[in-house]
Amino acid sequence: MWSRLISTWRNLTERARVERELDDELRAYVELLTAEKVRHGVPPERAKREALMEAGGMEQVKEEVRDASAGRLLNELGQDVRHSLRSLGRNAASSTLAIATLMLGIGAATVIFSVFYTVLLRPLPFANLDRLVEIHESRLDRNIDHSSVSMANFWDLRAQRRTFDEIAAYTGGDANMTGNGAPEHVTLGVISAGWWRVLGVQPLLGRDFVYEEDRPGAPNVALLRHRFWKQRFQGDPAIVGQTIRLNDKAYLVVGVMPPGEPWLNSNDVFVPMVYSPQADRGSWELEVVGRMSRGVTIESARADLQNTAASLARQYPQDDKGMGVAIGPATEWVASKELRRALWVLLGAVGLLLLIACVNVANLLLARSTQRSREIAIRRALGAGRFRIIRLLLTESLMLSAAGAALGVAIAEAAAIALRATQIDAIPRLSELSLNGWVLAGTLTVAVLTGLL
């Protein structure tokens, strides 16, 4: 095999030298055969003519040797590529139109697939994702099957959990920050202690909130978002342990979150959610997540919370009558059913657009083929087989689709940059949009299928 690889490499990279060696070998063979005939009394001119006849014709022998040489298929593919380039160059107008058509179709398919992958397929970077769930209240008697959780019910669900390692809650807010520079309006993430532990996210600097810090009377503490820390405090690690003022109250900075946190990344500062015995049961305002204990199924966790909800409904009939609990896996956090349906429809739409582009280019190539019937007839007459001609035409199609794909990827990258800058709230994780390996592999597959189609 090693010898064949070396021979293939020589045939591909030293074609002129290989051809000269073949000429020399054939010439030496004819000379030896001529000399042998002369020794047997044949006149020199006649001996040379008979030697050439016995050799079977120099060019025919060369072709036979080339057909048997290592790397023949690659050489033929190279010939097909060179011929395809010349053919496309001779028909520059139609080639440009075909490439532009494929560029738009493949570019649109690539950017939509990148959005589809980012929103629906890219896994959330949380530890043990299969144990993470989102928790909602329900009131089926009022046709409410999916709502936020009230403050008081959250504290009870967390206190009475049996199948969860932790349950935590989040709500948004805002504040005015003073000191440490010019006054600034900041967004707050109000979270219960344990929120980041549920998600499996560790602070980059300092520490997370502890449970004592969501109790009444606890000192005010805060965590900073990484980007806000970079912008407001120039990434100074000494900010941990210092005090900031939010709405004219002093907060001790206990940590800084890592960059690129994929959820709640619009909040500048995180502060603890403080427990209150008088919390409202009728105000649905909290986003609640939980980490199931190891070995617990989502059905068991749902049954556990349903029992707690039924107990709360009996204990507080005025506010919690008919209370139930709905649980959704972490895979549903990013996109709602409506968004998933919309993305599938959009992906199907760009698939149809690409199919229309294929049909248009196929019609264009079909019109060109009528002008090439004479060329193909001559190739058949010279001995080219049906497979070789089909391969030549497929090579041209694949080169068209490759050019369209390359330009389409450039368009998709520009579109991805624009989409990241728009920050469309209805499409989550758009800031993570990129043409990664999976997307490019999908584009390559589309390009090949397009060329074949």
Side-chain angles (χ1 to χ4, degrees), residues 144-307:
I144 300 174
D145 61 355
H146 194 93
S147 75
S148 301
V149 179
S150 70
M151 183 79 71
N153 287 335
F154 159 70
W155 293 117
D156 288 332
L157 289 173
R158 190 176 86 160
Q160 300 177 38
R161 70 185 188 277
R162 290 180 293 273
T163 54
F164 287 83
D165 288 342
E166 181 58 88
I167 294 176
Y170 159 89
T171 188
D174 56 7
N176 293 316
M177 175 182 284
T178 55
N180 303 97
E184 183 176 355
H185 183 81
V186 297
T187 58
L188 293 181
V190 183
I191 59 176
S192 64
W195 172 266
W196 295 116
R197 285 186 288 277
V198 168
L199 299 181
V201 178
Q202 296 289 332
L204 177 69
L205 298 175
R207 63 170 177 83
D208 197 354
F209 297 147
V210 296
Y211 292 110
E212 291 77 11
E213 289 168 342
D214 63 11
R215 300 289 95 184
N220 294 328
V221 292
L223 287 165
L224 301 181
R225 177 193 180 193
H226 188 272
R227 187 186 300 175
F228 180 72
W229 170 60
K230 286 283 190 181
Q231 293 173 348
R232 174 80 182 197
F233 303 101
Q234 293 74 50
D236 182 8
I239 188 63
V240 177
Q242 295 185 25
T243 299
I244 61 175
R245 299 194 70 83
L246 301 173
N247 291 338
D248 208 28
K249 293 182 180 179
Y251 284 78
L252 178 68
V253 177
V254 296
V256 176
M257 299 311 298
E261 58 267 28
W263 205 21
L264 310 179
N265 58 5
S266 61
N267 297 116
D268 300 318
V269 183
F270 295 94
V271 297
M273 180 184 299
V274 179
Y275 170 77
S276 172
Q278 290 78 37
D280 191 353
R281 291 189 183 274
S283 173
W284 296 331
E285 55 186 307
L286 300 183
E287 302 293 330
V288 177
V289 297
R291 179 174 288 276
M292 297 184 297
S293 301
R294 194 176 301 277
V296 173
T297 64
I298 196 168
E299 290 77 14
S300 298
R302 183 182 293 111
D304 171 30
L305 294 183
Q306 287 286 16
N307 290 333

Side-chain angles (χ1 to χ4, degrees), residues 68-90:
S69 63
R72 175 185 63 85
L73 181 59
L74 292 177
N75 264 325
E76 290 181 356
L77 289 176
Q79 293 172 7
D80 290 344
V81 169
R82 290 191 293 273
H83 181 273
S84 297
L85 288 173
R86 290 195 298 268
S87 176
L88 295 176
R90 287 195 300 268

Side-chain angles (χ1 to χ4, degrees), residues 282-392:
S283 173
W284 296 331
E285 55 186 307
L286 300 183
E287 302 293 330
V288 177
V289 297
R291 179 174 288 276
M292 297 184 297
S293 301
R294 194 176 301 277
V296 173
T297 64
I298 196 168
E299 290 77 14
S300 298
R302 183 182 293 111
D304 171 30
L305 294 183
Q306 287 286 16
N307 290 333
T308 304
S311 175
L312 293 175
R314 291 190 297 269
Q315 191 174 355
Y316 305 100
Q318 183 174 351
D319 294 318
D320 288 343
K321 180 183 178 182
M323 177 183 175
V325 173
I327 293 183
T331 53
E332 298 178 358
W333 289 2
V334 173
S336 63
K337 292 182 180 179
E338 292 75 14
L339 180 57
R340 289 171 179 270
R341 189 181 303 114
L343 288 175
W344 275 108
V345 170
L346 195 58
L347 193 64
V350 295
L352 289 176
L353 176 65
L354 184 58
L355 183 60
I356 292 172
C358 289
V359 171
N360 289 336
V361 174
N363 287 333
L364 190 63
L365 295 180
L366 194 61
R368 276 180 50 188
S369 68
T370 59
Q371 304 171 4
R372 303 183 63 181
S373 56
R374 184 171 179 270
E375 172 197 341
I376 294 175
I378 292 175
R379 289 180 178 276
R380 293 297 303 274
L382 291 175
R386 183 183 299 272
F387 174 74
R388 181 67 188 273
I389 292 175
I390 290 175
R391 192 178 69 193
L392 174 64

